[in-house]
Amino acid sequence: MSTRSVILQHFEDVAKEQDKELRPLSDDLPLVDTGLDSLCFAIIVARLEDELGSDPFSTAEDDSFPVTLGDFMRLYEHTAK
Amino acid sequence: MTAVSLSSSLNSAKLSSHRFLADRNTIVPLRDLIRGSSLCSRLDELRGRSALVLTRDQLSAALAMIELDGVCRRLVLWPSDLPAEQVSSILATASIDAIVSDASGVQVDRAVAYFVSSGSHLTPINFRERGSHRTEWILLTSGTTGRPKLVMHTLSTLAAPILAGVTVTRDPIVWTTFYDIRRYGGLQIFLRAILGGGSLVLSGTDESTTEFMIRAGTNGITHISGTPSHWRGALMSGSARRIDPQYVRVSGEIADQRILDDLSQCYPRAKIAHAFASTEAGVAFSVEDGLAGFPTSLIGRPRADVAMRIEDGSLRIRSTRMAVRFLGEGSKSLTDNEGFIDTGDMVERRDNRYYFIGRKDGVINVGGRKVHPEEVESVLNSHPAVQASLAKPRNNPITGAIVVADIVLTDNVTSRIRASKELNSTGALKTELLDFCHRALQPYKVPATFRFVESLAVAASGKLLRRNA
């Protein structure tokens, strides 16, 4: 599975677990509009760290926080390379 | 009933020839202590001194403690797992001028103190002169970080919970404990055996749980104590049924309903009790109704020996069993202005019972919301597939920290997963545990990830090893 599809799967799983309605996902969708709250993102980041073996937030040279889903994807894809 | 000193309690009693102290290698009949000494006849040289009991094995320590109580001005107990580099600061803080040692391997500068060697071998003595000291007993607390605290007790504060509840039985009582008797929980059991007319089987350094349980069974133990982690280890080892106790005592960590149920199932004829105690506050109470938590009626009700109150969710205790003070310059006061000790153990009321939910200093902060790892563990441990669990914080860029959990599965489930060809069986179990937690906990308390592990690390104190956040 690609990094992208792994991430999307976690978005769906966590939305379901936390009883949140996930908006249709696209790269330019701001993370705040995905329908997930900060706890959901915290869980996603923790699980991605387990699955992909990396936490790009702690290693990123760039301090800016991802704003859109596309930013979030790129952060992980960039670290995976 | 008060105990003047340990050795006088043995001299004055009509000492049954059946009573003994035993470890892996040696059985010492208590009667032999009336006319024997483990200190190579050098007891008199220790009179009035501040002595550190620095032995590797517990039996040597036990014999020295019986002989030196009332004789020494101060007795400092050294748990064998304490790092050797702590010795010099403890020597200074406790003004130690004598060391009773069995060549434990801990190096001490011999210039600072007087050395007396001990062991489990008794040499004959003609006469034991009564001690005249009200000996200060110094216990070293197992702080997770930094230096251990030195906590001062006396035989009367230590023995108060025992003498309050001594029941005379016709059958000989044989105690054992997973604890080191040089820590508060273990010392209670040692004193229970000595002052309560019983015998004691000591656990061995580096002895496996299975070896220990087999030996305890062979020695016919009737009473046994340990932490929930000790007990989970014993149940997991498959050796728990090697003993047939009448009384099982759980203390030192939160006793959840699952461990109480598991124990009463394993030992149907035993009384299962869980006790609350700390080195500083002493034993506060024990609960024997088989249920987790304790009745609300214990709070606020004035009792002669123990008063308890709850402040900001934390249990505070004032009692005749609490320590005298901390030892050492600049050490903080033991109690608040009204003489209560803050235990730092947090409780929560549900109906007519209080439940321990965790330590004040062990809280995990998930985006500003507080999670007690023990509450999460208690839910996990109630799942039939879970034998033991550890909830802990993991750093998180969004919420600062998030809860994750390590889980030891029961043997049945582990072998079922191994036998299963289905690669997904652990995944399915994780999903099931996740659903299970969601039904019982608020969303921020549910572990974000689960890891299945073979075992969990347990500290020398018998408590689950927690790295504080």
Side-chain angles (χ1 to χ4, degrees):
Chain A
M1 264 208 291
S2 68
T3 303
R4 175 169 284 263
S5 52
V6 169
I7 292 172
L8 288 175
Q9 186 64 50
H10 281 295
F11 270 71
E12 281 169 26
D13 289 350
V14 171
K16 202 172 136 201
E17 279 165 35
Q18 301 292 332
D19 227 1
K20 305 282 182 207
E21 200 178 326
L22 201 60
R23 305 275 166 74
L25 298 178
S26 65
D27 269 14
D28 55 358
L29 183 70
L31 291 170
V32 290
D33 294 336
T34 51
L36 301 181
D37 61 11
S38 62
L39 179 63
C40 293
F41 286 112
I43 296 168
I44 291 170
V45 169
R47 292 193 186 159
L48 286 172
E49 186 184 347
D50 280 0
E51 191 157 347
L52 305 173
S54 67
D55 168 15
F57 290 91
S58 65
T59 47
E61 292 151 22
D62 182 2
D63 278 349
S64 65
F65 211 80
V67 175
T68 64
L69 182 59
D71 296 342
F72 190 85
M73 296 281 190
R74 276 189 291 279
L75 190 60
Y76 278 90
E77 285 171 334
H78 180 75
T79 325
K81 273 169 200 163
Chain B
M1 181 172 159
T2 53
V4 182
S5 73
L6 285 182
S7 59
S8 69
S9 80
L10 290 180
N11 274 322
S12 60
K14 278 184 189 163
L15 208 52
S16 153
S17 58
H18 300 299
R19 294 180 61 191
F20 64 89
L21 282 171
D23 70 0
R24 234 188 314 192
N25 309 310
T26 315
I27 295 180
V28 179
L30 285 179
R31 217 151 60 164
D32 289 3
L33 272 173
I34 298 174
R35 291 273 174 265
S37 170
S38 68
L39 300 168
C40 309
S41 314
R42 292 174 66 187
L43 190 60
D44 277 335
E45 301 164 37
L46 291 164
R47 226 163 267 284
R49 287 183 184 264
S50 171
L52 174 66
V53 179
L54 182 64
T55 64
R56 180 177 153 78
D57 74 279
Q58 296 197 63
L59 185 56
S60 308
L63 295 171
M65 277 148 60
I66 293 171
E67 291 197 67
L68 294 175
D69 178 53
V71 169
C72 287
R73 171 171 71 87
R74 178 178 284 170
L75 270 182
V76 185
L77 307 185
W78 182 269
S80 60
D81 59 281
L82 218 61
E85 58 266 25
Q86 303 280 4
V87 163
S88 52
S89 86
I90 287 164
L91 287 179
T93 310
S95 315
I96 288 162
D97 56 7
I99 293 175
V100 175
S101 163
D102 64 350
S104 60
V106 178
Q107 295 298 316
V108 185
D109 179 3
R110 293 200 167 229
V112 299
Y114 190 81
F115 261 79
V116 169
S117 57
S118 73
S120 52
H121 177 73
L122 299 183
T123 48
I125 50 169
N126 293 324
F127 174 68
R128 189 186 290 281
E129 197 186 320
R130 257 176 202 278
S132 54
H133 284 272
R134 189 166 166 267
T135 302
E136 297 168 352
W137 288 68
I138 311 296
L139 290 161
L140 308 175
T141 59
S142 46
T144 42
T145 49
R147 288 183 182 174
K149 278 184 281 187
L150 284 76
V151 183
M152 183 192 292
H153 276 275
T154 63
L155 188 59
S156 41
T157 61
L158 292 169
I162 299 161
L163 301 176
V166 163
T167 45
V168 181
T169 55
R170 202 175 284 191
D171 299 322
I173 290 173
V174 182
W175 273 102
T176 193
T177 175
F178 292 96
Y179 287 114
D180 188 320
I181 59 164
R182 293 158 290 190
R183 294 188 187 281
Y184 188 87
L187 187 58
Q188 276 296 309
I189 302 307
F190 168 71
L191 294 173
R192 250 156 235 259
I194 300 298
L195 300 172
S199 299
L200 176 63
V201 176
L202 296 158
S203 60
T205 320
D206 307 327
E207 187 176 31
S208 77
T209 303
T210 302
E211 285 174 285
F212 172 58
M213 291 308 260
I214 290 172
R215 193 162 59 81
T218 311
N219 280 299
I221 65 99
T222 59
H223 290 52
I224 175 164
S225 89
T227 63
S229 290
H230 283 137
W231 282 113
R232 287 186 194 106
L235 292 167
M236 263 189 284
S237 74
S239 60
R241 285 179 206 275
R242 304 305 285 259
I243 58 170
D244 181 21
Q246 303 161 20
Y247 180 84
V248 171
R249 188 177 175 91
V250 186
S251 62
E253 291 176 302
I254 299 172
D256 58 36
Q257 195 58 48
R258 169 74 181 273
I259 191 67
L260 296 173
D261 290 349
D262 283 357
L263 286 170
S264 63
Q265 198 190 357
C266 186
Y267 306 118
R269 69 181 202 104
K271 180 184 275 183
I272 314 286
H274 59 99
F276 178 83
S278 77
T279 306
E280 291 90 344
V283 180
F285 58 87
S286 79
V287 178
E288 301 187 348
D289 61 8
L291 299 174
F294 59 94
T296 48
S297 58
L298 285 179
I299 298 290
R301 186 179 65 185
R303 280 193 286 161
D305 42 1
V306 182
M308 302 201 292
R309 58 159 70 150
I310 290 160
E311 223 169 284
D312 299 328
S314 173
L315 182 64
R316 292 187 181 224
I317 293 167
R318 183 178 66 196
S319 89
T320 53
R321 304 151 177 198
M322 64 194 198
V324 181
R325 61 181 171 96
F326 287 120
L327 195 61
E329 260 177 63
S331 51
K332 61 173 187 153
S333 165
L334 190 68
T335 65
D336 63 20
N337 294 336
E338 292 173 72
F340 280 80
I341 291 179
D342 185 357
T343 63
D345 286 294
M346 308 295 287
V347 297
E348 194 174 81
R349 184 175 179 157
R350 271 172 264 151
D351 300 324
N352 290 322
R353 244 173 139 82
Y354 280 106
Y355 295 87
F356 288 102
I357 54 170
R359 297 274 316 153
K360 198 193 270 179
D361 51 14
V363 164
I364 303 173
N365 189 332
V366 180
R369 286 172 293 189
K370 287 175 180 171
V371 183
H372 288 287
E374 295 90 340
E375 183 189 2
V376 180
E377 288 156 13
S378 153
V379 168
L380 285 169
N381 291 349
S382 70
H383 189 280
V386 176
Q387 182 73 60
S389 63
L390 174 73
K392 56 186 182 178
R394 187 198 281 179
N395 289 340
N396 190 281
I398 320 283
T399 50
I402 195 153
V403 181
V404 298
D406 286 350
I407 289 172
V408 181
L409 295 169
T410 59
D411 281 350
N412 287 345
V413 174
T414 306
S415 38
R416 215 167 61 215
I417 285 176
R418 284 205 185 117
S420 159
K421 296 279 182 288
E422 236 181 288
L423 280 171
N424 240 345
S425 54
T426 59
L429 186 54
K430 283 182 185 178
T431 309
E432 187 186 321
L433 286 170
L434 199 58
D435 288 345
F436 188 76
C437 286
H438 270 292
R439 284 197 292 275
L441 295 166
Q442 288 153 289
Y444 62 95
K445 295 179 179 174
V446 173
T449 71
F450 297 102
R451 200 163 60 114
F452 296 137
V453 296
E454 294 278 316
S455 61
L456 295 170
V458 173
S461 58
K463 303 181 188 194
L464 217 49
L465 203 60
R466 295 183 194 278
R467 281 176 209 87
N468 278 349

